[in-house]
Amino acid sequence: MRSGDLKETVAMALNTLRANKLRSGLTILGIVIGVMTVITISSVVNGLNSSVSGLVQSLGSNVLFVFRFPAFSGRPTTEMLTRKQLTYDDAMAMRDLAHVVAVSPALQYTDNNAPGRSGVTSIKGGGNSMQNTILTGVSSEEPKVEDLDMAEGRFFNDTDEQRTAKVTVLGYDTAHQLYPQQSAVGKEVEASGMVFTVVGVLAKQKQAFGGGQNPRDNQAFFPLTTFHDMHPEQLDYWITLKYDDAKNRLAVEDELTELLRRRRKVRNDQPDNFSIFGTDTLQRLWDEITFGLFALLFSLSSVALLIGGVGVMNIMLVSVTERTREIGVRKAIGATKQTIMVQFTLEAITLCAVGGMIGMILGSLIALGLRIFLPTLISPIWVVTGFLCSCCIGLIFGIYPAWKAANLDPIEALRYE
């Protein structure tokens, strides 16, 4: 087809669509919804993935966690729950391993009156109280292990641990709730029936899901020896270990496994009765969750696109029937099958392309609006993919009506009323 004929055909297709605005608008509704959904979902998932990645990185780089059973693999079995607990001496032994920079054993208070809410209690100070505060006992190496930043004051040191000092370091939200408009450093707080002096306040932690509070900002850290006085019944240690370089991870894991198997007297024919995992485990868990969610929602939006495609085919078949005499006239004056087929195919593609563009705009606007509630990140790749999918829908579902129009008998078409 010559370029002049192609331009004429495109112009005729656009004129036909403009002449039936309402019908064209209703036809592309499914395409609009499908593309809009794809862009909105991909933006939300990309935003959440980016936020979770930032949160995982904030937990510390080159970090391994050690516990008596996997913490992120679903409900623990009876065998896992009956395993021997890790001890403070286990953590101290880890410090002697090659490539290990710092080790911090940790304990948390478990409120037995609130099942499933580990470490939840309240803390008071300055005439105010803060609910759901996580009470945690850690070593002085905790800031080095988890890359914690101080907003003011200091973290407790080895001397505080040795003399069982009644000191605490508060999370950002906890400090500002108890002592608003003033510094909490040097003030006193009450937790578990004991009074402590605040020596430091942590900087605000990164948010995983946009607005709201990060639970890590509502936390109170105590020296381990002090925590033992507060809750001597808590002996289930969670150990965090930081090593020097990511390339040494496998070596550190091997040495750590050998050390714990020896200390816990695990026979050669028995599996490990402990778990070692890193921040990448959290990332993989999140990726699995979002992949399933994205696949489900993407399949739903694909259904909307297919419904839109069926609508386009239906309207194009109606258009062929309505314009049978016009097709006959065009063939009588020399229009070829190729010309007629290109015209009707372009009409279908143009319909879907317009729907795709509207869907792109609406999807992007919705994604921007959702930033008030959720972190969203618009992906140019998915925007282009949504638009190309709409054009492909027009091509696939427009071919049959175009073929039918191109193969009409010109004599019969001229007789059509």
Side-chain angles (χ1 to χ4, degrees):
M1 179 180 289
R2 297 191 303 269
S3 60
D5 293 339
L6 180 59
K7 291 179 181 179
E8 181 183 354
T9 302
V10 172
M12 292 181 63
L14 292 174
N15 289 334
T16 302
L17 297 180
R18 281 194 290 265
N20 300 278
K21 295 179 182 178
L22 179 60
R23 187 172 74 180
S24 299
L26 294 175
T27 302
I28 64 175
L29 188 58
I31 303 295
V32 172
I33 294 174
V35 174
M36 178 182 68
T37 305
V38 168
I39 294 175
T40 302
I41 293 171
S42 63
S43 299
V44 172
V45 171
N46 286 337
L48 291 176
N49 285 342
S50 177
S51 294
V52 170
S53 296
L55 180 64
V56 169
Q57 291 176 3
S58 73
L59 296 176
S61 58
N62 302 337
V63 169
L64 290 175
F65 304 102
V66 186
F67 196 53
R68 59 190 175 105
F69 54 78
F72 309 106
S73 61
R75 188 172 181 175
T77 63
T78 303
E79 183 274 329
M80 292 179 181
L81 293 173
T82 56
R83 289 177 180 177
K84 178 183 176 182
Q85 296 172 340
L86 294 169
T87 66
Y88 181 82
D89 291 337
D90 290 333
M92 295 303 100
M94 294 177 191
R95 290 182 173 179
D96 298 328
L97 296 177
H99 309 297
V100 172
V101 176
V103 178
S104 180
L107 294 170
Q108 281 190 354
Y109 168 65
T110 303
D111 186 356
N112 294 322
N113 294 320
R117 300 179 68 187
S118 175
V120 174
T121 184
S122 63
I123 189 169
K124 300 176 183 178
N128 300 310
S129 64
M130 186 70 169
Q131 302 297 318
N132 302 331
T133 303
I134 303 173
L135 304 185
T136 308
V138 294
S139 75
S140 58
E141 293 192 347
E142 182 71 11
K144 186 187 295 186
V145 171
E146 295 203 26
D147 297 332
L148 297 176
D149 296 321
M150 304 299 299
E152 54 181 329
R154 65 176 179 85
F155 208 84
F156 47 79
N157 52 38
D158 292 338
T159 303
D160 294 324
E161 282 193 76
Q162 292 169 4
R163 63 187 182 89
T164 317
K166 299 298 187 290
V167 295
T168 184
V169 175
L170 301 180
Y172 186 88
D173 290 343
T174 308
H176 286 77
Q177 173 68 24
L178 299 181
Y179 292 97
Q181 309 301 323
Q182 59 179 311
S183 173
V185 176
K187 304 294 194 305
E188 292 185 339
V189 296
E190 180 185 344
S192 300
M194 301 172 66
V195 177
F196 304 88
T197 300
V198 179
V199 295
V201 176
L202 295 174
K204 196 167 184 63
Q205 303 293 306
K206 291 182 179 180
Q207 304 293 321
F209 303 110
Q213 295 179 331
N214 188 327
R216 286 163 57 85
D217 285 327
N218 184 15
Q219 196 165 193
F221 289 103
F222 305 89
L224 269 173
T225 51
T226 304
F227 191 85
H228 280 307
D229 286 348
M230 298 166 60
H231 296 286
E233 75 283 2
Q234 298 297 324
L235 298 172
D236 204 1
Y237 280 93
W238 172 289
I239 302 175
T240 309
L241 176 150
K242 185 169 186 176
Y243 52 97
D244 54 3
D245 196 300
K247 66 182 181 182
N248 295 321
R249 173 169 175 170
L250 292 179
V252 173
E253 284 192 32
D254 290 342
E255 293 181 0
L256 187 55
T257 300
E258 182 182 352
L259 173 70
L260 289 176
R261 287 182 66 87
R262 185 174 67 252
R263 291 185 60 85
R264 295 166 70 84
K265 296 180 173 58
V266 180
R267 296 198 307 267
N268 291 334
D269 59 340
Q270 291 180 325
D272 297 339
N273 59 0
F274 55 88
S275 179
I276 302 172
F277 48 94
T279 53
D280 56 319
T281 303
L282 298 173
Q283 187 67 55
R284 283 198 302 269
L285 176 64
W286 174 255
D287 289 342
E288 289 175 4
I289 294 173
T290 54
F291 178 79
L293 178 63
F294 183 79
L296 173 62
L297 296 179
F298 185 78
S299 62
L300 295 177
S301 62
S302 298
V303 171
L305 284 172
L306 291 176
I307 292 174
V310 172
V312 169
M313 178 182 284
N314 181 53
I315 291 302
M316 292 306 298
L317 287 172
V318 172
S319 178
V320 170
T321 302
E322 290 178 345
R323 296 155 62 188
T324 300
R325 187 173 179 82
E326 173 196 330
I327 295 170
V329 172
R330 293 200 64 201
K331 283 194 169 188
I333 60 177
T336 64
K337 285 186 177 182
Q338 182 184 15
T339 302
I340 301 297
M341 191 164 184
V342 168
Q343 177 187 346
F344 280 87
T345 303
L346 282 177
E347 286 185 20
I349 294 176
T350 304
L351 263 177
C352 293
V354 171
M357 292 182 66
I358 296 174
M360 288 166 51
I361 296 171
L362 292 179
S364 299
L365 291 176
I366 292 174
L368 292 174
L370 287 175
R371 285 186 178 177
I372 301 173
F373 311 101
L374 291 170
T376 58
L377 183 63
I378 299 175
S379 170
I381 294 176
W382 279 107
V383 171
V384 173
T385 299
F387 178 74
L388 292 178
C389 284
S390 67
C391 293
C392 289
I393 290 291
L395 176 62
I396 294 171
F397 287 88
I399 286 179
Y400 175 70
W403 176 85
K404 185 177 180 181
N407 285 277
L408 285 176
D409 183 86
I411 297 175
E412 294 295 329
L414 287 172
R415 293 176 179 175
Y416 185 82
E417 295 294 337

